[in-house]
Amino acid sequence: MMTFPRVWELIGNFKDECQSRGWKTSQNEDWIKVNNEFHNFLWARDIHPSTFKKIATACRCAIKQGSSYQVVNVAYTAWLFPEAPPDTLVHSVARDPKLAKRIAIYDLSNVYAGGPVCFKLNETNSKVFQEFEKFLGKKWGVEYKPAFSLLTKEI
């Protein structure tokens, strides 16, 4: 059995797949551009809910262009958590339909503990995130439990 990769390696491997589809990616940043929309991946071991809310509602990220940066609008953001995110964070996204359409949360704590289940909250229309889920399933055997399972942590 292969060891599940670190988050940054996981995103890097996925970005390689995205490039093979003709999607634009960054070597140093974790975004994918498809049809003029940016799909951003953020990962955190732990984050305070108020900090999460500020980042989630900002809808922007910095893109390096040469020696400077350009701030762009982000259509979708996926948050990857190698440890279980705070319940308050998950509830804040689940209860806000506007946020839930732009923000996906992947709780990978069970996968990193050796289990097959990734708890997810993904109500976005992001085809990048749909492909990310397929990638995790095909390459690593990850199974998904929907939002209600994420909120109750039932495997």
Side-chain angles (χ1 to χ4, degrees):
M1 180 174 168
M2 296 192 319
T3 304
F4 196 70
R6 295 179 178 131
V7 176
W8 57 89
E9 295 168 330
L10 187 68
I11 295 170
N13 291 338
F14 178 64
K15 288 190 322 187
D16 291 342
E17 292 230 347
C18 291
Q19 288 175 343
S20 72
R21 294 176 163 273
W23 296 348
K24 186 173 180 185
T25 66
S26 169
Q27 183 177 359
N28 299 316
E29 293 141 354
D30 295 330
W31 54 261
I32 295 148
K33 186 177 179 185
V34 179
N35 299 330
N36 292 321
E37 289 183 328
F38 286 91
H39 304 249
N40 197 25
F41 285 86
L42 299 175
W43 53 276
R45 192 168 299 286
D46 187 30
I47 188 166
H48 193 277
S50 65
T51 304
F52 172 85
K53 188 83 165 176
K54 287 176 186 173
I55 294 169
T57 57
C59 306
R60 300 189 187 284
C61 76
I63 306 292
K64 187 170 175 105
Q65 291 188 331
S67 61
S68 63
Y69 285 87
Q70 174 187 4
V71 176
V72 298
N73 290 325
V74 174
Y76 303 102
T77 301
W79 287 79
L80 308 178
F81 290 94
E83 296 179 10
D87 288 343
T88 54
L89 181 149
V90 176
H91 285 282
S92 70
V93 173
R95 289 183 183 144
D96 184 339
K98 191 174 181 180
L99 262 185
K101 289 187 186 313
R102 293 186 308 94
I103 304 292
I105 297 175
Y106 296 96
D107 175 354
L108 295 163
S109 60
N110 179 267
V111 178
Y112 280 107
V117 176
C118 172
F119 297 102
K120 73 169 184 169
L121 177 64
N122 182 4
E123 297 177 18
T124 71
N125 288 326
S126 169
K127 72 170 148 180
V128 171
F129 299 166
Q130 291 167 3
E131 288 302 317
F132 178 70
E133 291 173 16
K134 289 177 189 174
F135 168 78
L136 291 181
K138 279 192 303 188
K139 184 135 180 139
W140 303 103
V142 172
E143 301 167 13
Y144 297 93
K145 292 281 184 173
F148 69 87
S149 297
L150 180 61
L151 298 173
T152 61
K153 294 286 197 277
E154 294 175 5
I155 299 178

